[in-house]
Amino acid sequence: MRAILLGPPGAGKGTQAARLSERYGVPAISTGDIFRANVGGGTGLGLQAKEYMNAGALVPDSITNAMVKDRLSQDDVGNGFLLDGYPRNPDQAVELDLMLGDLGVKLDVVLELTADFDEVTQRLLGRALKEGRADDTEDVIRHRLEVYAESTAPLTAFYEGRGLLVQIDGMGEIDDVTERLVAAVNSLSTP
Ligand code: AMP
């Protein structure tokens, strides 16, 4: 399975990506997690990304694309992958196409988790209390949702135009959302 999980911050992409990764035996690749690990480890990449992340802005494409290209060149993506948090704008989507073309593979599906704006704001504020993420303050959350609406949301039309988009209701119980995703993925292989 080669899939992208789309959806606003707080829609549950990370949780669902972990579950799908286990179910289908493909790695979940979260650009946010990779950036956070680099910030935590104080690497050069982390230093480059940190200010953008803390502001709720996108890390520049040149940095992000190079990181994803490197990750997709690793052996464990041979059976597929689940991208969580990438691409985040149309230029990254074009870049991803080039990377996959070089690897000689194609995307199977783009799963969009749809979520209510107020609900995701509440979820993110709740997560901020639990995890203490530096980018989970109210102002930064608002900005991340704006960035999503402006830069990332256009990707739904981009992938819909290519017949790859499947929209899934991301609201409700976590298990129910997983079942909807699994049903959508399984229906792809049955003609
Ligand atoms: P996430 O955990 O996916 O919400 O990502 C956390 C932060 O990492 C984002 O707010 C961005 O600052 C940065 N980030 C993650 N993925 C990308 C991406 N594809 N392009 C640019 N910045 C990203």
Side-chain angles (χ1 to χ4, degrees), residues 9-10 13 30-33 35-36 49-61 64-65 67-68 84-89 92 124 127 133 135 140 144 147:
K13 294 190 300 296
S30 156
T31 42
D33 282 351
F35 280 133
R36 275 185 290 279
K50 188 175 177 176
E51 298 310 318
Y52 297 100
M53 295 176 75
N54 287 348
L58 294 185
V59 176
D61 287 351
T64 307
N65 289 333
M67 181 177 89
V68 172
D84 160 16
Y86 182 91
R88 269 292 223 273
N89 63 31
Q92 291 184 3
L124 289 168
R127 186 172 78 185
R133 262 175 61 163
D135 58 352
V140 175
R144 285 162 61 209
V147 169

Side-chain angles (χ1 to χ4, degrees), residues 5-76:
L5 257 187
L6 268 185
K13 294 190 300 296
T15 304
Q16 299 297 341
R19 290 172 164 221
L20 294 178
S21 163
E22 196 170 317
R23 182 140 188 158
Y24 294 102
V26 296
I29 299 175
S30 156
T31 42
D33 282 351
I34 301 174
F35 280 133
R36 275 185 290 279
N38 277 277
V39 171
T43 68
L45 178 62
L47 287 175
Q48 284 178 294
K50 188 175 177 176
E51 298 310 318
Y52 297 100
M53 295 176 75
N54 287 348
L58 294 185
V59 176
D61 287 351
S62 56
I63 299 172
T64 307
N65 289 333
M67 181 177 89
V68 172
K69 187 168 184 163
D70 178 65
R71 182 65 188 84
L72 288 178
S73 72
Q74 293 171 22
D75 289 342
D76 66 337

Side-chain angles (χ1 to χ4, degrees), residues 5-190:
L5 257 187
L6 268 185
K13 294 190 300 296
T15 304
Q16 299 297 341
R19 290 172 164 221
L20 294 178
S21 163
E22 196 170 317
R23 182 140 188 158
Y24 294 102
V26 296
I29 299 175
S30 156
T31 42
D33 282 351
I34 301 174
F35 280 133
R36 275 185 290 279
N38 277 277
V39 171
T43 68
L45 178 62
L47 287 175
Q48 284 178 294
K50 188 175 177 176
E51 298 310 318
Y52 297 100
M53 295 176 75
N54 287 348
L58 294 185
V59 176
D61 287 351
S62 56
I63 299 172
T64 307
N65 289 333
M67 181 177 89
V68 172
K69 187 168 184 163
D70 178 65
R71 182 65 188 84
L72 288 178
S73 72
Q74 293 171 22
D75 289 342
D76 66 337
V77 299
N79 286 331
F81 52 78
L82 193 58
L83 286 170
D84 160 16
Y86 182 91
R88 269 292 223 273
N89 63 31
D91 284 346
Q92 291 184 3
V94 169
E95 200 60 33
L96 175 64
D97 272 344
L98 295 174
M99 292 179 214
L100 297 181
D102 285 347
L103 292 170
V105 297
K106 282 200 169 84
L107 284 173
D108 297 311
V109 66
V110 177
L111 301 159
E112 185 196 4
L113 282 182
T114 59
D116 174 75
F117 187 90
D118 290 335
E119 173 85 24
V120 293
T121 307
Q122 289 313 313
R123 281 192 193 182
L124 289 168
L125 287 169
R127 186 172 78 185
L129 291 176
K130 269 192 262 161
E131 297 176 16
R133 262 175 61 163
D135 58 352
D136 273 344
T137 63
E138 198 165 348
D139 279 355
V140 175
I141 288 169
R142 196 171 304 116
H143 187 54
R144 285 162 61 209
L145 290 167
E146 281 165 12
V147 169
Y148 184 82
E150 262 171 45
S151 303
T152 313
L155 292 181
T156 54
F158 178 88
Y159 287 119
E160 187 168 29
R162 290 167 54 175
L164 287 172
L165 187 74
V166 178
Q167 289 179 310
I168 310 283
D169 179 5
M171 297 287 91
E173 294 299 319
I174 292 176
D175 284 347
D176 294 341
V177 177
T178 306
E179 284 315 309
R180 285 175 213 141
L181 286 163
V182 167
V185 170
N186 290 349
S187 73
L188 294 172
S189 42
T190 43

